Amino acid sequence: MKLANLLEQKKSQIVARWINLLYDSYPPETAIFLKKEKDKFDNPIGYGISRGLNGLFETLVQEMEAEQILAALDEVIRIRALQDCFPSQALAFIFLLKNIVREELAEELEKENLLEELQELDARIDGLSLLGFDVYTRRREKLQEMRINEVKNRVSGFLRKSGMSMNDM
């Protein structure tokens, strides 16, 4: 049995553990809320994380196109980029998948001698982390641009109210 088939069979358990581990990286009261509230309108962060991790898992199992991989990564990373944390903290969730797969498929991996396929999966997960860093960096740059534009707009508005313009400075 191929690793992809095993991953597909245990998808719900693997993804559920992955989601819970990511939620656990938040403060305890936030993690409880994220785990408890399932509605996408009451808990858009939890919904986005769940949707993104499900999509990422699919991209790993089915080896999808780059655009699909980037979209799935962006689903989670755009949430993480808004938070005040280091890139390593924001992207650590990607590496959690390696241990989850090994724990969930321990018996099958031993029986089926899937070391080569597991190494290939590890390489794809590592590749996701590199892509994730690019996505994270672009998201942070966009946030900075938005903040700069907001400051410019405020200053411009203030100057207009006082009868001056940016050219007067």
Side-chain angles (χ1 to χ4, degrees):
M1 187 175 264
K2 286 184 65 177
L3 182 59
N5 293 339
L6 291 170
L7 290 169
E8 200 61 52
Q9 287 174 6
K10 297 229 177 172
K11 175 187 174 183
S12 60
Q13 297 98 307
I14 292 170
V15 173
R17 284 188 61 193
W18 198 16
I19 291 168
N20 280 324
L21 284 174
L22 179 52
Y23 288 167
D24 288 342
S25 70
Y26 287 91
E29 59 279 352
T30 304
I32 291 168
F33 174 79
L34 291 172
K35 290 177 183 180
K36 180 182 168 193
E37 187 57 58
K38 302 295 182 198
D39 184 75
K40 75 178 184 176
F41 297 107
D42 291 336
N43 183 5
I45 291 172
Y47 178 79
I49 288 171
S50 176
R51 183 177 146 139
L53 292 185
N54 272 290
L56 277 176
F57 189 83
E58 286 298 318
T59 67
L60 286 170
V61 173
Q62 297 179 8
E63 298 183 35
M64 295 184 178
E65 297 294 319
E67 295 86 32
Q68 294 168 306
I69 296 169
L70 290 171
L73 273 168
D74 189 57
E75 185 90 33
V76 178
I77 292 174
R78 81 174 114 193
I79 295 166
R80 304 291 282 177
L82 288 171
Q83 298 153 352
D84 191 24
C85 61
F86 294 111
S88 58
Q89 293 169 311
L91 300 173
F93 74 92
I94 296 170
F95 295 104
L96 297 173
L97 186 57
K98 288 182 180 183
N99 288 335
I100 295 169
V101 167
R102 281 171 173 70
E103 291 169 7
E104 287 291 326
L105 301 177
E107 287 180 32
E108 293 89 345
L109 290 171
E110 193 174 313
K111 283 184 205 173
E112 301 290 332
N113 192 20
L114 297 171
L115 182 60
E116 189 174 309
E117 289 182 55
L118 185 62
Q119 288 173 333
E120 185 180 313
L121 177 67
D122 285 348
R124 288 198 311 262
I125 292 171
D126 292 342
L128 272 183
S129 67
L130 295 173
L131 285 173
F133 189 76
D134 292 342
V135 171
Y136 178 85
T137 302
R138 281 194 302 269
R139 280 287 171 184
R140 294 296 290 191
E141 287 171 354
K142 279 186 178 182
L143 284 171
Q144 291 301 339
E145 285 176 25
M146 289 170 52
R147 289 177 181 146
I148 289 168
N149 287 336
E150 184 165 335
V151 168
K152 285 180 181 178
N153 289 337
R154 285 183 181 176
V155 169
S156 176
F158 174 74
L159 290 174
R160 268 185 271 131
K161 284 181 182 178
S162 66
M164 298 175 69
S165 73
M166 293 290 275
N167 296 331
D168 294 339
M169 298 187 88

